């Protein structure tokens, strides 16, 4: 269901990203007729919320019991879809969505996601430059903010004062750990996967867990064309596990004068 030209907005959560949604709404009175923020059970007023109240937003503190009727409800990342807070928002709004989906609804109709252990930022810059050279209207997350909050902000600030998208295309670098949730809400047209290596073991654990995170993002992108690194066996093997159309890229010339023994962290070779 598309967003109406003018709608009332309910925001669940008063964290940084939730307040950013409220700021966007206040800056776009042509799109948002009223903005209400429920901070949650332990929420209290602070300088940031008072400033937004002074600009016209309504805040409700210290409760997860929502009242009233709203056209759109936007939830912060930390609110589980199984929580009573989320359920309350869903019962009082015609539509409920996360911040990335809300930003996407206001932004480009086509977007490219780039993920993997290494090379995400460089690959994103290359793709963005290629799109620019082709004369396409495109943007990318130049700052490198590749988690849900950063991606949401990138989409929101690329919309016009009336909330309409300024660009036709977006090339978005996405952290492999966030890919599952981002793709579930945004459904990219193209998903580029660079490689899978052991990295940030405190966050991801073994390399197989990183691959599982990426696979979850792929499964949540049923309409995406996959652009896979043919020189990484774990990445290339993804094409055998899903029905998505896949294209491959790789190196066709000699790089090293001698055979390289350890090219991947893969546990086995896939031919």
């Amino acid at each position: 269901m598309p967003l109406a030209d003018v709608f009332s907005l309910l925001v669940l959560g008063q964290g940084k990203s939730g307040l950013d949604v409220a700021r966007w709404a206040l800056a776009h009175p042509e799109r948002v007729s009223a903005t209400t923020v429920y901070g949650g059970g332990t929420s209290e007023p602070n300088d940031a919320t008072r400033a937004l109240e002074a600009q016209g937003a309504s805040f409700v503190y210290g409760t997860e019991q929502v009242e009233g009727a709203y056209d759109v409800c936007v939830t912060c990342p930390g609110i589980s879809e199984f929580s009573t807070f989320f359920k309350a928002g869903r019962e009082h709004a015609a539509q409920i969505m996360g911040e990335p989906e809300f930003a996407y609804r206001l932004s480009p109709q086509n977007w490219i996601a780039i993920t993997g252990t290494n090379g995400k930022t460089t690959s994103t810059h290359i793709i963005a430059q290629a799109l620019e050279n082709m004369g396409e209207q495109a943007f990318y997350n130049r700052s490198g903010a590749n988690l849900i909050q950063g991606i949401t902000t990138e989409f929101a600030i690329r919309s016009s004062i009336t909330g309409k998208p300024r660009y036709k295309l977006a090339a978005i670098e996405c952290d492999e750990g966030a890919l599952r949730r981002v793709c579930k809400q945004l459904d990219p047209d193209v998903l580029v996967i660079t490689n899978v290596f052991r990295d940030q073991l405190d966050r991801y654990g073994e390399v197989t867990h990183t691959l599982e995170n990426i696979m979850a993002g792929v499964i949540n992108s049923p309409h995406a064309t996959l652009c896979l690194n043919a020189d990484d066996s774990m990445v290339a093997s993804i094409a055998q596990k899903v029905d998505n159309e896949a294209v491959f890229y790789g190196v066709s010339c000699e790089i090293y004068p001698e055979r390289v023994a350890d090219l991947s962290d893969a546990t086995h070779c896939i031919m």
Side-chain angles (χ1 to χ4, degrees):
M1 184 188 301
L3 294 177
D5 290 338
V6 180
F7 55 89
S8 58
L9 177 65
L10 167 66
V11 180
L12 299 187
Q14 65 178 52
K16 181 179 184 302
S17 55
L19 297 185
D20 283 341
V21 173
R23 290 188 185 95
W24 178 90
L26 293 172
H28 296 81
E30 300 86 356
R31 295 298 309 274
V32 183
S33 59
T35 302
T36 303
V37 181
Y38 273 73
T42 60
S43 62
E44 296 179 349
N46 56 47
D47 290 343
T49 62
R50 293 189 188 97
L52 291 173
E53 285 183 288
Q55 297 175 46
S58 298
F59 277 77
V60 180
Y61 305 101
T63 181
E64 295 184 352
Q65 300 301 313
V66 177
E67 297 181 356
Y70 307 88
D71 298 316
V72 177
C73 175
V74 177
T75 67
C76 293
I79 299 173
S80 169
E81 61 184 308
F82 304 107
S83 67
T84 56
F85 199 14
F86 186 96
K87 181 179 178 181
R90 182 170 54 200
E91 291 175 346
H92 289 266
Q95 300 183 67
I96 187 168
M97 63 196 71
E99 294 166 357
E101 181 179 354
F102 180 65
Y104 175 71
R105 298 275 195 100
L106 299 170
S107 296
Q109 298 179 348
N110 303 289
W111 77 288
I112 303 165
I114 302 96
T115 195
T117 304
N118 301 305
K120 294 186 291 291
T121 301
T122 299
S123 299
T124 301
H125 287 199
I126 292 172
I127 292 169
Q129 187 63 56
L131 292 171
E132 181 179 332
N133 292 348
M134 292 167 59
E136 296 287 354
Q137 292 181 318
F139 76 89
Y140 68 104
N141 43 346
R142 186 185 302 269
S143 67
N146 60 14
L147 298 176
I148 285 181
Q149 294 90 335
I151 293 172
T152 300
T153 299
E154 290 289 344
F155 275 100
I157 64 178
R158 295 309 193 284
S159 61
S160 70
I161 194 169
T162 60
K164 300 295 184 181
R166 293 180 179 146
Y167 299 85
K168 293 172 56 180
L169 299 167
I172 299 297
E173 172 188 342
C174 183
D175 178 85
E176 54 269 40
L179 189 70
R180 178 199 304 259
R181 294 179 63 190
V182 171
C183 288
K184 183 177 181 180
Q185 300 191 57
L186 300 191
D187 192 11
D189 296 276
V190 178
L191 177 52
V192 180
I193 304 175
T194 59
N195 48 59
V196 178
F197 285 101
R198 287 186 177 90
D199 185 49
Q200 301 186 64
L201 297 181
D202 58 325
R203 289 185 63 200
Y204 301 125
E206 257 302 331
V207 66
T208 52
H209 184 60
T210 302
L211 182 61
E212 289 171 2
N213 283 336
I214 292 175
M215 274 301 306
V218 172
I219 291 170
N220 287 337
S221 308
H223 306 105
T225 296
L226 305 181
C227 188
L228 305 175
N229 181 359
D231 294 323
D232 185 309
S233 62
M234 286 193 291
V235 172
S237 70
I238 292 174
Q240 303 173 14
K241 303 173 184 176
V242 294
D243 295 329
N244 300 59
E245 179 183 355
V247 295
F248 298 88
Y249 68 93
V251 178
S252 60
C253 61
E254 292 290 340
I255 299 177
Y256 302 101
E258 299 178 358
R259 182 180 178 84
V260 178
D262 298 316
L263 188 63
S264 170
D265 281 334
T267 56
H268 57 279
C269 183
I270 300 172
M271 302 299 291

